Amino acid sequence: MKVFNTITRKKEKFNPINKEFVTMYVCGPTVYDLFHIGNARTFVVFDVVRRYLEYKGYKVKFIQNFTDIDDKIINKANQEGKDISQVSERYIKHYYEDADKLNIKRATLNPRATENIKEMIDLILHLIENGFAYEVNGDVYFSIKCFSEYGKLFGQDIKTLKVGSRIEVNKNKKDPLDFILWKKSKENEPGYDSVWGKGRPGWHTECGSMIYKYFDGNTIDIHGGGGDLIFPHHENEIAQIEALTGKSLANYWMHCSFLSINDEKMSKSLNNFFTTREILSKYSSNCLRFFILSSHYRNELCYSEQQIIWAEKSLERIYKCYFSILDKEKGKIENVHDKHISEILNFKDKFIEKMDDDFNTSDGMSVIFEFIRYVNSFLFEFTSSELKYCKNILVELLDILGINIKEIVERGSKIILTEEIKNIIMQRYECKKNKDFVSADSIREKLLKMNILLEDIQDGVRVVEADTNVFVETILY
Ligand SMILES: [Zn+2]
């Protein structure tokens, strides 16, 4: 199995420290708002990394933190006239609601920054004692000139980094690249007592210190996060922990590329985002996961409604194939000539080969579609044990991607789109084309009375079961 390692900039053979046990840390959300689908991409990608490792037989200790003290949380609490813990509690609750709905497996542990303040203070004290950090007026900084390997993750000579854009300008710093470990609280700002006065830890200290604590000071196998965290966040985590322990913080650094919308990165600051909750109110969790995983995690992924609808249509093909297998299974008698089994198993091997190559979900999905074409063409020939193999492999491979097919198909919509209903839908389309909107609307109302909701999309219509919001089918004109 190979993993692309950001720190060496190449694909490397994956060799965990312990042969059966993988340790993994992923930077979690700052809990001041609902997470958007760009964040969801990171969470889903690392969920699949973890699921795949577990599929391969590893036990995985997966830790993802909550940043529950931060300027954004303080601002939000001030706006609402609430305590910061009320704000963070609310968004931690919402995080779990949305992540559960998105079928993201719960982490082994989700430590919160505020529960680990003492450990962070201890870490900073150690850094000062060992000459890696210094205090100025209640703020504490890490001195990068004391850590000769600074910049190794980012992969550029640190002298070429421009101060200002990504590096905070501050006259208290000895070097512009020095970063804050402890931030003195302003008046009326929440904070914790320390030998440097009231303050709070810097974000980079949070993650570094929690990894140190929850993995007992050991090097971990995988550290993951969004690509925008490489510098300065992860670089600074490395500096603090490696300066102190003399050991690597992590052996493999994995970074997920961003989600773009209209050629821009989706982000809170650009205000061009959709929350995961918004998308999941309209589309299924399978659909959002399918869309996210259709691109390799290191490639940019562009969001558009058309892409989500494409994902929904693609899933529909998978569901239909699964349905057909179930259908054919009924009444099949056992046949001794199971000549297709090795061909069927071959698809599984091919999928695993793709996933072994740096978690290539995109190519893995192509294998699933190849498999579906294959199943559809031999459906009438398969014996009952062959059908069972097909069914189980489909469920097994999709489960690695966190796409739940069994439950969806069994729960599915009760609506069956007969030719008659399809004709009515086409009649409405004709009315719309002829600008007879009154008739088009009355057809829509008539269908709604039959529990069928139509949502117009480009070149077609999405059919949804009105009372449950369960997607039925996309009809293209
Ligand atoms: Zn982090």
Side-chain angles (χ1 to χ4, degrees), residues 25-28 65 67 203-204 206-208 211 223-224 229 233-234 237:
Y25 182 91
V26 175
C27 294
N65 68 305
T67 294
W203 175 38
H204 318 308
E206 279 182 27
C207 285
I211 296 171
H223 191 314
L229 301 186
H233 185 54
H234 289 160
E237 279 184 29

Side-chain angles (χ1 to χ4, degrees), residues 457-472:
I457 55 171
Q458 199 183 348
D459 309 323
V461 73
R462 240 180 123 242
V463 184
V464 176
E465 191 174 64
D467 58 350
T468 59
N469 213 15
V470 170
F471 167 73
V472 182

Side-chain angles (χ1 to χ4, degrees), residues 41 44-49 286-297 301 310 355 359-365 398 400-403:
R41 183 181 189 193
V44 166
V45 160
F46 287 104
D47 179 57
V48 170
V49 168
N286 278 353
C287 177
L288 182 52
R289 286 186 79 108
F290 192 95
F291 161 68
I292 288 172
L293 298 170
S294 65
S295 167
H296 186 265
Y297 75 91
L301 173 64
W310 164 82
M355 289 295 283
F359 307 94
N360 197 331
T361 54
S362 167
D363 284 359
M365 279 181 173
L398 288 165
I400 294 173
L401 305 176
I403 292 173

